[in-house]
Amino acid sequence: MQNSSDTVDNPGWLDAIRWNADGLVPAIAQDAESGDILMMAWMNRESLRLTAEEGHAIYWSRSRGKLWRKGETSGHQQVIKDIRLDCDEDVILLKVEQKGGIACHTGRRSCFYRTLKDGEWTSVEPVLKDPDAIYGSN
Amino acid sequence: MQNSSDTVDNPGWLDAIRWNADGLVPAIAQDAESGDILMMAWMNRESLRLTAEEGHAIYWSRSRGKLWRKGETSGHQQVIKDIRLDCDEDVILLKVEQKGGIACHTGRRSCFYRTLKDGEWTSVEPVLKDPDAIYGSN
């Protein structure tokens, strides 16, 4: 829905979203081509607006309390192909092209690399690149 | 990781999860076959334990404050094929077989049926079954 109070910095489509008490919404990143779920992170109003404007995923880091420009250090940006909203207006789905083929800070393709097997969490996805080589070892 | 204090009602693999302040964790449901993301809901410790035990998705309804046995009314159960945990141990991914091919209470396959297009949220997925026919019109 478009809003008569639309401005560049505050487009009306952001008003459709039911932000939580902290002003955040979960955002799922899915590989647009393979359908693999890469990660889930959080967005505030500004990060979602910038994501739509700039065309790559920008999250809100709850631990650091600031914008998190995904791929800024690693080069593993997520190019936006589609932005979806769920029926309850409280979850965002991003369909993305994952640069470098690695979304996880552990060097794996997806953050969801552990499966529940015989009552234990078992890693089932390989490390594609050493995190030290991605982020530098300092 | 298995835990020496494992019991049937409190298996140790639940301890690996970083539950939020409300004792909940987001759970993404993905169609195991097509890769489509169906919905995101929340789970508490009991609902995740029961999901693993019973083999179909049981969420925690935040609005109703009780267990939500997905498909109990609609028949649209989600049969569990895989349970994944992310690198931060605070998001669950369920790969499921979606009974009836409908996850959304609006009668659509997926809850993520709106896309951001020209500054508006636009529905791009058809209603497969009238919600009144799913839940009864009373």
Side-chain angles (χ1 to χ4, degrees), chain A residues 4-20:
Chain A
S4 57
S5 64
D6 268 13
T7 65
V8 171
D9 283 352
N10 189 26
W13 58 269
L14 289 169
D15 292 336
I17 295 166
R18 298 199 300 146
W19 307 93
N20 73 10

Side-chain angles (χ1 to χ4, degrees), chain A residues 71-119:
Chain A
E72 196 167 37
T73 309
S74 63
H76 297 160
Q77 280 196 331
Q78 295 175 333
V79 179
I80 303 297
K81 300 294 182 182
D82 195 4
I83 299 178
R84 297 282 186 114
L85 179 62
D86 78 334
C87 55
D88 291 331
E89 289 108 13
D90 60 3
V91 185
I92 295 288
L93 167 60
L94 307 172
K95 299 194 184 188
V96 305
E97 177 196 341
Q98 177 62 60
K99 292 291 184 189
I102 294 173
C104 186
H105 75 286
T106 65
R108 292 176 176 88
R109 174 163 181 69
S110 162
C111 294
F112 295 93
Y113 61 85
R114 279 175 287 194
T115 186
L116 184 62
K117 194 179 167 191
D118 303 329

Side-chain angles (χ1 to χ4, degrees), chain B residues 5-54:
Chain B
S5 64
D6 268 12
T7 66
V8 171
D9 283 352
N10 188 25
W13 58 268
L14 289 169
D15 292 335
I17 295 165
R18 298 199 299 147
W19 307 92
N20 74 8
D22 296 322
L24 303 177
V25 76
I28 303 163
Q30 179 182 36
D31 188 295
E33 199 131 312
S34 69
D36 288 347
I37 299 186
L38 301 171
M39 55 181 282
M40 198 209 86
W42 294 79
M43 290 186 158
N44 66 359
R45 220 176 148 92
E46 185 185 12
S47 70
L48 181 53
R49 176 176 64 79
L50 290 172
T51 294
E53 270 176 34
E54 300 188 13

Side-chain angles (χ1 to χ4, degrees), chain A residues 39-89:
Chain A
M39 55 182 281
M40 198 209 87
W42 295 79
M43 289 185 157
N44 66 359
R45 221 176 148 92
E46 185 185 12
S47 70
L48 180 53
R49 176 176 64 79
L50 291 172
T51 294
E53 270 177 33
E54 300 187 14
H56 55 92
I58 298 169
Y59 301 101
W60 176 257
S61 169
R62 296 180 302 171
S63 56
R64 284 172 286 167
K66 62 176 193 174
L67 290 177
W68 166 26
R69 294 177 174 275
K70 171 75 179 161
E72 196 167 37
T73 309
S74 63
H76 297 160
Q77 280 196 331
Q78 295 175 333
V79 179
I80 303 297
K81 300 294 182 182
D82 195 4
I83 299 178
R84 297 282 186 114
L85 179 62
D86 78 334
C87 55
D88 291 331
E89 289 108 13

Side-chain angles (χ1 to χ4, degrees), chain A residues 22-36:
Chain A
D22 296 321
L24 302 177
V25 76
I28 302 163
Q30 179 181 36
D31 187 295
E33 198 130 313
S34 69
D36 288 348

